[in-house]
Amino acid sequence: MNYSLLLPEIFLLLWTLFIFVLDFFWDKSKTHSLGWLSLLGLGITAGLLFGSGKGNLFGNMFLSDGFSFYFKLVFLSAAFLAILSSIDFVKKIDKYRGEYFGLILLSTLGMMFLCSAGELITLYIALELTTIPLFVLAAYLKSDSRSAEAGIKYVILGAISSAILIYGISIIYGLTGATDLALIQFSLASQHLKFGALGPALIFGIIFFIAGFGFKLALVPFHVWAPDVYQGAPTPITAFLSVASKGAGLAAFVRIFFVSFNVFQPDWVMIIAVLASLGMILGNIVALMQTNIKRMLAYSSIAQIGYILIGVVAFSWRGISSLSFYMFAYLFANMGAFIGAITFSNVTGSDEIKDYAGLSRKSPGLALCMTVFLLSLVGIPPLAGFVGKYYIFASAIERGHIGIVIIAILTSVIALYYYVGVVREMYFRKSEKEFSFSIPFSLKLALFICVIGVLLAGLFPTPFIDAATQAAQVFYYW
Amino acid sequence: MITLNHYLALSAILFCVGIYGIFTRRNAIGILMSIELMFNAANINFIAFSKFITPTLLTGQVFAVFVITIAAAEATVALAIVILIYRHHKEINVDKINIMKW
């Protein structure tokens, strides 16, 4: 047994407990500086991750491979940006600031286990470790009734989704007698050879899996919680939810469906293709009507998950590689847009798009950053979003899925309208209110990292695509 | 003689009762209880499959223990949030908790 594979996770867990304990003893007026300590912990975890090898532990329960390595880096970066953008934000919370950072770290730990899980028990526990801290964080602003409402909506729908998922898992366990993903694949494949078509139990199992993960990913018929939770939750948590929590769900989804259910690929790919198209259409059209920037970004992220799932629909290693790269581009662009919104609302106290009028004159830097992020989300060259979309469409066309690519391109045009709407407010409208902008150091740093990420992955995508391709090689047999 | 099918029918009924409860209950606590029913439906499946499909392995039973634990953790957080909601709204009827709409 090579326990050093678990070293990053063990370290992160100990560091999280350390943060919780320190919060007890630290002077209450200074606990926001625990954020810097959390950032240090994330940095060391990333360092350990680079040092840890590849392999598996506990009989395939914990897989450490290229795919999990890539996604762990995405989660650590998302947590890093979320905490960095929270350091100024938590000063508004009068109590329990240390726990705030600790819970983000705990959720990140769950995500790291989730993308490494090679077995359904581990996967389910990791999924809950990811979401339970997020329930608490969504309701963290105790005096704000919108935050409480976000919390109750998230916790009820999250619990329903996990109940549906666990029922699906129990059906699959009953059909195969195994919880190991590779053994499930083997067992389902041999049953498939023996009996041919899918039995009704398996159809139910697969549908329950799609529904359970659909909630986590905010796929279209299961997306109703997303806009309310995104609007009500504290904004750094919204950013974290929209990137890291989705990425974690996606990683587990890809592992289950590409490993366990790959025999029935033609059947579930059709369902995913329909859901992805619905997501792109509905997300983009409803986003057009939004006046609140957090709500607009919520609907835009419902649409973005549709684009990401095109990589799943392609069902090839290139599809996985392109969705991994897209996740990376989406990480910086979406986190950046939310961090821009945090910066803006810290100064003005508003999340309304019309209040962004005249921002280019008051804070040219912030306006420029927001423009870069929003244009990257649309997919304008030379930004990261363009490369991501190009690569993901190419992977789908390669496998002959022309229809979904046409839908994706048409809906991108709709998306252009509402993203550029914000840019228009910032550059071409005069503002009515006067306020002076001073952006704290932590937010400046976070914005800077995101802009660098978006530009770097857009202008020099080769090393990032190579990394994503290496991640996809775990599923090399397609 | 009670066969696997009896257990599966019981769990399917329990699961449907849970789903029905989620859609008809308006009290947040009632919804959480319905969700617990769904978890327990899955637990019955796990135990029954463990006994009938893999009698020599304990995977299903171990899974059920984990599900019970996690459901408890989830219920704790959910109840804490329900209390928070009660402090804001002085009621826990989920139809009344909708400040945000699209």
Side-chain angles (χ1 to χ4, degrees), chain A residues 158 214 227 271 308 330 352 399:
Chain A
I271 307 179
I308 292 175
Y330 174 69
E352 296 301 311
R399 304 282 294 206

Side-chain angles (χ1 to χ4, degrees), chain A residues 1 56-63 118-119 122 179-181 183:
Chain A
M1 289 276 219
N56 54 36
L57 268 183
F58 313 122
N60 272 342
M61 274 192 176
F62 183 86
L63 311 171
E119 196 262 347
T122 325
T179 52
D180 186 301
L181 296 184
L183 286 179

Side-chain angles (χ1 to χ4, degrees), chain A residues 226-415:
Chain A
D228 290 351
V229 173
Y230 282 23
Q231 189 187 349
T235 318
I237 298 308
T238 309
F240 189 59
L241 266 179
S242 74
V243 175
S245 161
K246 270 190 185 179
L250 188 73
F253 183 84
V254 166
R255 223 190 254 286
I256 291 180
F257 279 79
F258 276 63
V259 174
S260 295
F261 297 150
N262 70 5
V263 190
F264 306 103
Q265 171 258 333
D267 305 294
W268 58 258
V269 156
M270 270 324 290
I271 307 179
I272 300 292
V274 171
L275 297 186
S277 317
L278 282 176
M280 290 184 281
I281 295 168
L282 188 130
N284 280 322
I285 288 177
V286 182
L288 280 177
M289 308 166 206
Q290 301 306 319
T291 56
N292 179 303
I293 188 136
K294 281 164 85 177
R295 235 175 146 71
M296 185 204 92
L297 286 172
Y299 280 106
S300 110
S301 80
I302 290 170
Q304 295 285 345
I305 198 71
Y307 296 119
I308 292 175
L309 283 178
I310 296 177
V312 175
V313 171
F315 199 74
S316 59
W317 66 267
R318 198 190 291 279
I320 306 215
S321 146
S322 62
L323 81 85
S324 305
F325 178 80
Y326 196 95
M327 201 62 224
F328 188 79
Y330 174 69
L331 158 77
F332 287 113
N334 210 42
M335 284 302 272
F338 274 113
I339 292 168
I342 296 167
T343 315
F344 185 78
S345 81
N346 272 2
V347 176
T348 60
S350 160
D351 286 327
E352 296 301 311
I353 293 174
K354 63 177 188 316
D355 291 340
Y356 280 69
L359 187 65
S360 66
R361 263 164 240 127
K362 284 172 207 136
S363 176
L366 179 61
L368 188 65
C369 288
M370 278 299 267
T371 311
V372 168
F373 301 139
L374 293 173
L375 292 184
S376 175
L377 283 172
V378 196
I380 303 276
L383 302 167
F386 168 73
V387 184
K389 270 191 181 156
Y390 176 80
Y391 201 44
I392 222 162
F393 292 167
S395 75
I397 290 174
E398 189 183 68
R399 304 282 294 206
H401 298 285
I402 309 286
I404 194 165
V405 174
I406 292 174
I407 295 176
I409 292 173
L410 289 180
T411 51
S412 291
V413 178
I414 304 176

Side-chain angles (χ1 to χ4, degrees), chain A residues 120-121 124-125 128 132 135-136 139 142-146 148-149 151-153 155-156 159-160 162-164 166-167 169-170 173-174 177 179 208 228 231-232 286 295 299, chain B residues 11-12 15 22 28 31 35 38-39 41-42 45-46 49-50 53-54 59-60 62-63 66-67 70 73-74 77-78 81-82 84-85 88-89 94 97-102:
Chain A
L120 289 174
I121 301 181
Y124 180 67
I125 296 170
E128 293 301 310
I132 293 179
F135 297 151
V136 182
K142 283 171 77 180
S143 53
D144 182 356
S145 67
R146 270 181 308 177
E149 186 183 330
I152 190 99
K153 282 180 175 163
V155 79
I156 287 181
I160 294 173
S162 90
I164 291 175
I166 197 71
Y167 200 75
I169 289 177
S170 77
Y173 168 66
T179 52
F208 282 164
D228 290 351
Q231 189 187 349
V286 182
R295 235 175 146 71
Y299 280 106
Chain B
S11 103
F15 189 79
I22 287 166
I31 294 180
I35 295 170
M38 290 164 71
F39 277 115
N45 264 356
F46 277 124
F49 283 137
S50 178
I53 307 270
T54 57
T59 327
V62 171
F63 213 142
F66 276 117
V67 173
I70 287 170
E74 209 152 37
V77 170
I81 294 176
V82 170
L84 183 62
I85 282 287
H88 280 290
H89 294 265
V94 287
I97 308 165
N98 49 0
I99 315 168
M100 293 175 286
K101 275 200 202 118
W102 63 298

